[in-house]
Amino acid sequence: MQLATKIAALAACLVLGATVFELVRKKRIREEYSLVWFAVAIGFGGLVLLDRLTLRIINLMGGTNVSSLFFFAGTFFAVLMLVHLTVRISEIKRKQNVLIQESGLLREQLERLSRRIEQEAEVPSEREQ
Amino acid sequence: MNPRMLAVIPAFNEQESLGAVLGEIARVDGVDAVVINDGSGDATSEVARSAGFPVIDLPVNSGMFCAIQAGFRFALRRGYNIVVQVDADGQHDPAGIPALVRPIVEHDLDVVIGSRFLGEVQYRMPRSRLLGTRLFAWITSILVRQRITDTTCGFRAYGPAAIRLFATDTSFEFRDAVGLVMLKRGGFSLAEVPTVVRPRHSGESSISMLSSILYPFHYLLALAVVYLREPVRRI
């Protein structure tokens, strides 16, 4: 791997790690979801630094250049992340439906109780008259 | 069974037709009703309240099944043992409720479906939709080993076990044919009775062109999932 390519790839990993860290610090990403992105940044950084090992892995897979391994790993990770996010969205949608239903039911119950209290308050005042 | 019946009416922007539907329900003996306002932007909620019916206002539009399930939760908490699903657009005739619930009251069945294709058929639908409906009914009949003629009619009645299941299981949408197959796999009993479905009082159907195109694929995928999952259990 050429030095310029190495520097660019390492810089990309550092930017990714720093961005995720900043998002966690600002509470825009929960810690539990940030771990996977730190792992990606460290993993890709490792592949860049250990380029001889990277090349051996590529040769074992029948490839000839380093970029093909990064492309393969990147695509595979992106697909895995999409599946993970779909699972999370489905789970959130299910929980959201329950909350929406409960919110409607509680509002109906509140209205019913308020009406009953108003009616009970009216009855004694009518008796007093 | 001493029936305590609740008509669950999911409604989304149905201010024009809802009043008439509620008026018809009020004339059916022994049936209470609850309107589930599914985030309507019109006066649906006010129409139901002014008619004297309880309303569950969902804060945002969440889809037909979410609305119906809110009705099942309401029924379970208020001690109803029969739920009848009635559309707010006036297509379902509430006068048909006694015939719909009879198999549950007299024979303890779990779910009764109103069928537009039994008895004297008056319902007209486009040929392509009719073909699809017949095909789904045929596949469903094979899977549940029982003749089912109409899998998509929403005019249905549910007994106590089905109410408990629908009110508490949030992991799956028990709708249309897939819901019937899932119920049958779980040992629930099904029956059909003839029903008349009328044209809408007003407004437009919520079924879009895209959802009509995607429906067969969704149906087949959901059916496959039913057989890959554990059967539902009576609670």
Side-chain angles (χ1 to χ4, degrees), chain A residues 20 28 31 84 107:
Chain A
V20 172
R28 292 181 65 187
E31 289 90 342
H84 171 71
R107 191 172 159 188

Side-chain angles (χ1 to χ4, degrees), chain A residues 93-94 96-109 111-112 115, chain B residues 49 54-60 62 65-66 69-70 73-74 77-78 170-171:
Chain A
K93 170 73 180 159
R94 188 178 64 76
Q96 177 193 295
N97 278 356
V98 173
L99 290 174
I100 287 169
Q101 291 165 355
E102 286 301 324
S103 144
L105 287 162
L106 286 171
R107 191 172 159 188
E108 189 277 332
Q109 197 173 3
E111 284 173 5
R112 191 156 32 88
R115 272 198 306 275
Chain B
R49 279 196 174 82
V55 181
I56 297 169
D57 280 309
L58 303 186
V60 288
S62 309
F65 185 77
C66 182
Q69 192 169 45
R73 286 175 185 268
F74 179 87
R77 288 172 196 185
R78 302 289 289 272
T170 59
S171 63

Side-chain angles (χ1 to χ4, degrees), chain A residues 60-72:
Chain A
L60 281 172
M61 291 170 68
T64 52
N65 84 47
V66 178
S67 59
S68 58
L69 178 66
F70 283 98
F71 186 74
F72 172 76

Side-chain angles (χ1 to χ4, degrees), chain B residues 161-218:
Chain B
I163 294 171
R164 283 193 295 274
L165 177 73
F166 281 31
T168 53
D169 191 334
T170 59
S171 63
F172 201 83
E173 294 199 354
F174 299 89
R175 59 182 189 183
D176 296 348
V178 178
L180 299 180
V181 175
M182 182 170 264
L183 287 168
K184 192 72 180 182
R185 271 200 89 207
F188 288 76
S189 49
L190 313 174
E192 279 189 315
V193 297
T195 193
V196 175
V197 172
R198 307 174 293 197
R200 293 175 65 87
H201 280 179
S202 60
E204 287 177 7
S205 169
S206 59
I207 302 169
S208 67
M209 173 72 92
L210 182 64
S211 63
S212 300
I213 293 167
L214 292 177
Y215 185 84
F217 301 102
H218 184 190

